[in-house]
Amino acid sequence: MVEVSHAIKFLLNGEEVILTDVAPDLTLLDWLRLERRLRGSKEGCAEGDCGACTVLVGRLMDDEIIYDSVTACIRFVGSLHGTHVVTIEHLRGENGALHPVQQAMVDHHGSQCGFCTPGFVMSLYGLWMRNPDPSRAAIEKALQGNLCRCTGYAPIIRAAQSMSSYGQPQGDPLLAERIAVRDKLRAMHDGRRVEIGEDDRKIIIPASLDDFAAVYEANPDARIVAGSTDVGLWVTKFMRAIGPVIFIGHLQELKRIAENDSEVRFYAGVSYSEAQPVIAANFPQLGELWDRIAGEQIRNMGTIGGNIANGSPIGDTPPPFIALGAKLHLRRGEHRGEIKLEDYFLAYGKQDRQPGEFVESVTIPLLPAGEKFATYKISKRREEDISALCGAFRVFVNDAGAVGMVRIAFGGMAATPKRAKAVEAALIGKPWTMDTIEAVTGQFAEDFSPISDMRASADYRMLAAQNLLKRFFLWTQERSERLAREVA
Amino acid sequence: MNKQSDISLATLHAPTRHDSGPKHVTGTAEYIDDMIEPVGTMHAYLGLSTKPHAEILGMNLDAVRSAPGVIGVLTAEDIPGENDVSPSHKHDEPIFAVGEVQFWGQPVFAVIAETREAARRAAQLAKIDYRDRPWIADVRAGQAAGGKLVTEPLKLERGEVDAALTSAPRRARGAVTIGGQDHFYLEGQIAFAVPGEDEDVTIHSSTQHPSEVQLMVAQVLGIRHNAVTVNVRRMGGGFGGKETQGNLFAAVAALAAKKWNRACKIRPDRDDDMQATGKRHDFVVDYDVGYDESGRILAVDAVYGARGGFSSDLTGPVTDRALFHADNAYWYPAVRVRSEPLYTNTVSNTAFRGFGGPQGMVACERWIEDIAYALGKDTLDIRKANFYGTDTDNVTPYHQVVEDNIVHRVVDELEASSDYQARRRAIIDFNKTSTVLKKGIALTPVKFGISFTATWYNQAGALVHVYKDGSIHLSHGGTEMGQGLYIKVAQVVADAFGVNLDTVKIMATSTGKVPNTSATAASSGSDLNGMAAWDACEQIKSRMLAHAAKLHDADEADCHWVTGGLNVGRKHIPFAELAASAYLNRVQLSAAGFYKTPKIHWDRATGRGHPFYYFAYGASVSEVTIDTLTGEYTVDRVDILHDVGKSLNPAVDMGQIEGGFIQGMGWLTTEELVWDDKGQLRTHAPSTYKIPLASDVPPIFNVRIAEWSVNREPTIGRSKAVGEPPFMLAISVVEALGMAVASMADYKKAPQLDTPVTPERVLMGVERMKTARGA
């Protein structure tokens, strides 16, 4: 029987915080600004897109502290148990001087109106700690989640390129305090489940994965919140009630990644950032897509399980995962089952999941030898944008030069992530040539009738989808003409 | 008088850092939402309409009133003065809609509660019955519906246009659609009102125009201006979006503060901010241009339809300025341009960096492009063939003679330094063999007129105190929105007195310090306020000098201001000592400075005058690559040469040039405003409205200030205004994308890309070219 405590404990900068009364929808930003009157972190958008509220959250992972930049506006206080929250107010240099990152920003004229600046400083601080001499590409990637409207970014990039000449991470207070902080966080993880509040205001922080399974089975109406990159907006944008909530972002068992010769299994709580090296190693064609999903803060928060479980038609991971033949592992209490990912999406906003059942992991088969696979995302702005459409293509061309196997899946083309089965059927057995590709373009209309919205028109979606198949064909012919703008 | 002084601490013209830099990076710079609220502070939230045009049949706010934490609601009936915040004074912009709503997102009421959260939740509970009315979506719909206008149109005309068109060997006719733009200042609209004694109220407002907020609040409360004090320490970005759009929020906060005698703050969330406040006007420009075989323009006849929105706001002066820049840097032997400031059932559009000028220039560069492709020439050749002359061919469509033309030198230097010709040849070669990727390059110039076209706005005041310890207190009418105005004016003052910059304390802008200020807009901030502050300094200096001469029995001619103080004969008096001694001798150490721009005049009725004191120039070269399968593209390299006269602060000016260019590039590429078929704006948050990112900055971005340039007019330090002109440098991105698209049909057909040039527009352009090629 799991013991229960009734307090959320975490570190805020240098101080230990114990909260026994927390609303499930209380955001970190509101708490910092309104209750703690720490007003260095700003609200620019309240949806995790502008980065003005960026803070670092340190968490234990395999007994080490990892500091992630996150957007405080959509991070819930209830998800902070056992973490170290570091805000702009905690950033300090030696003897009260500016921190090296701050001094670099001042000297390079990196602020104009200054409203976005604390968020930029925190993102750059996170970068500097792990990479004080970043490449241009690394800087751009670290700043994907920070909007500046004044400077045109050029002076901020120059500041980032010179950070290390102002100081090295060795000796930084946050690193120097690391062991003491780790010990404090360790003590907070005392093996007990945390429960706070009643009914709709109830927060449950399970002690373990098994505890989560049991708690959710017993409370099937509860809302599961991992990274809160989607549910956060339900609160900040739509003022929806979300309680009772089970926070699972802290569960290390859900952050496992298992690799073998034939497949990779991501547990549902693995963040995009945590998955990135494994994705890059096993599915190199997914690497570029991965770096174009949201911004750094959101990739640090959002999880693979969440991107699937919320069933969005424009989630970026389902199309490639469907094309690769991914399987979902669902769990309800002690009962486990599996389902093909493509069968999971029933209709817009509706998934094949029973009450009390959750996505525990997803298994992605490695690409068999001889097959070709690629994914392309198209968005109005190249980075930190939601797909207008996203296409994933996988083909096996047999010795006769004909299509032996093909799987094509799209996001943004229908109410759910969806395979292009008519196109696939038209391709199978045909010679893998541009003539064949041209001949099957008409089949797209059998599979899809996309909508027009603020991201793209139906006509554009259809034409671009057809052209992406051509792009894939060209790529299999090693005629890979792509725009060369690289991300780190 | 433009010679500032003989003393130099190298403060003026030095690349001094932003005065708030250390506070920005530590999060200690205080914005209005960061101020610690007095006990009992209330929070207001707006209830917005959900129809583009409808009669209000009934409004049931009972559920709003009884929601938890609610103190009360405000509707039009609660306004003691006028229910109007129209900056044009046409009384066409109610705070709260009465009888009808005219756009989706129009404020209908406000709810006041103990917390912002409570107010925000309660605002959703209103039940409003509407009866739909026909509504006008955009420019073309407005024209089709009879062309109802929100304000008087303007016509500029010179020469025999019809005859010149008829006899022209060639014609370019067409229409260009130019999208609008949301300001996306990172700090949204906000106001915080604190009630005082009697009728008094103090407003902390995120506004570029404190005196106008003062006027509006007084008008709404039915009190005199002297009861209202408006303070602005800094804004988290403005860009024109806080020139008039803060009025309504300030008025609501003030209404509540006086009604309940408690402080009140109002801050809409980003979505409401984007739906309820005005944006850059989108335009459709219909044009008919006559030209000859060499590409020389002979006559221009164009109509500039603009989406005004439901009220006039600043649409009149914005559309005027579009016409003032219909020529960009080009001489039109005959010209007739007309504005159509159209009524539409959308939010009332407003000021935005460039103020109509960018739209005027985009249209102008479109017909330059049409001419070039029709003749099979490089667009740059057509541009050069049409530049204003220096001694002849130098009269604008508004009959002002261009006296300071440096566009030839700017363009020639940039053409050489960017290696334009060789790169263009290489790109044409590249495009011959590359099947999927295509490249383009373009050089476009900017000539931008400096001065408010409302002549009376070209004035400013400042207030300078010197204290007994020699420290200096500086106030002026300009506001700081990040552009570096405060530091520039402080540099002027430090330079004037010969003291270190840290001797000058920059005070928040307040209507109580400097009255009747103009908006910090039209790029005029340092031109006007710098001069006003300098005037104040000179008054104090002359008194101090007279005092010192008398005290030391010296001739005033033997007294000289030097670094750190005053030399009286051979004796050096440190500034602080001089201040102390002046005080003891009853010398006034405070002065109000004033400045008004000379030479300018404008007669709108005849379309003639000298509306601009001078012009700022610049040019840019952009190189792009497009993907003809998807329409995606990258901006690979940008070179800029820009004229700021003799820069007051090269670091600040560089920030304006780089930042202005990127903001302009966003306007023209990824920033797309989309309304749905029900009249609701669907791009009202950063998730759907995409401003540039760090990764959109061109990997090669060579930005230079034309260091040889000196303003011919005696402006402060011979500098030039810099806020707006660089914005329009981004037009070269559109033209470069156009060249890449046109490569699909061997450059034989003009690309005619409307803006913003999204990936979708590029791909559809590519498809048009394929069709043209096939035909």
Side-chain angles (χ1 to χ4, degrees), chain A residues 42 113 236-237 381 460 471, chain B residues 34 120 271 627 630 691:
Chain A
K42 311 300 182 195
C113 88
T236 60
K237 295 276 145 170
R381 186 177 65 198
Y460 175 76
R471 153 142 299 139
Chain B
D34 303 335
R120 188 165 172 240
D271 303 75
D627 176 340
T630 61
I691 72 169

Side-chain angles (χ1 to χ4, degrees), chain B residues 203 205 207 209-218 228 230 246-247 250-251:
Chain B
I203 321 277
S205 169
T207 178
H209 199 348
S211 285
E212 178 128 297
V213 169
Q214 177 190 29
L215 180 157
M216 292 297 166
V217 167
V228 182
V230 178
N247 294 341

Side-chain angles (χ1 to χ4, degrees), chain B residues 509-624:
Chain B
T509 307
S510 174
T511 56
K513 288 275 186 62
V514 177
N516 308 321
T517 57
S518 296
T520 307
S523 307
S524 68
S526 51
D527 276 13
L528 298 177
N529 295 288
M531 276 300 216
W534 187 79
D535 176 48
C537 296
E538 288 302 305
Q539 295 176 44
I540 297 170
K541 281 168 68 181
S542 68
R543 289 182 215 135
M544 292 175 96
L545 186 143
H547 152 70
K550 191 175 162 197
L551 189 69
H552 296 279
D553 200 18
D555 198 338
E556 286 192 21
D558 290 331
C559 301
H560 302 284
W561 289 95
V562 295
T563 303
L566 187 71
N567 280 358
V568 180
R570 290 187 174 178
K571 182 176 169 55
H572 176 74
I573 310 173
F575 186 74
E577 189 181 317
L578 180 60
S581 108
Y583 164 73
L584 290 173
N585 286 278
R586 298 186 292 174
V587 174
Q588 187 190 5
L589 290 175
S590 173
F594 184 76
Y595 176 73
K596 57 181 179 180
T597 311
K599 286 176 94 167
I600 50 175
H601 56 89
W602 170 239
D603 181 352
R604 194 173 186 278
T606 60
R608 285 170 174 262
H610 192 99
F612 301 121
Y613 189 30
Y614 61 86
F615 295 96
Y617 297 84
S620 68
V621 177
S622 291
E623 179 178 336
V624 303

Side-chain angles (χ1 to χ4, degrees), chain A residues 373-450:
Chain A
F373 167 71
T375 300
Y376 308 109
K377 167 174 174 165
I378 297 178
S379 49
K380 207 180 284 180
R381 186 177 65 198
R382 185 169 171 79
E383 294 174 10
E384 208 219 12
D385 198 357
I386 293 166
S387 295
L389 68 159
C390 178
F393 304 87
R394 177 179 162 202
V395 69
F396 174 72
V397 181
N398 60 27
D399 292 342
V403 176
M405 188 285 308
V406 62
R407 285 171 80 96
I408 298 170
F410 277 96
M413 294 291 287
T416 62
K418 192 174 165 228
R419 271 176 72 180
K421 290 193 174 170
V423 177
E424 291 175 5
L427 284 169
I428 202 88
K430 302 277 171 44
W432 183 240
T433 63
M434 189 53 101
D435 285 346
T436 301
I437 301 294
E438 297 274 7
V440 304
T441 51
Q443 298 302 311
F444 278 82
E446 300 290 316
D447 286 316
F448 302 110
S449 34

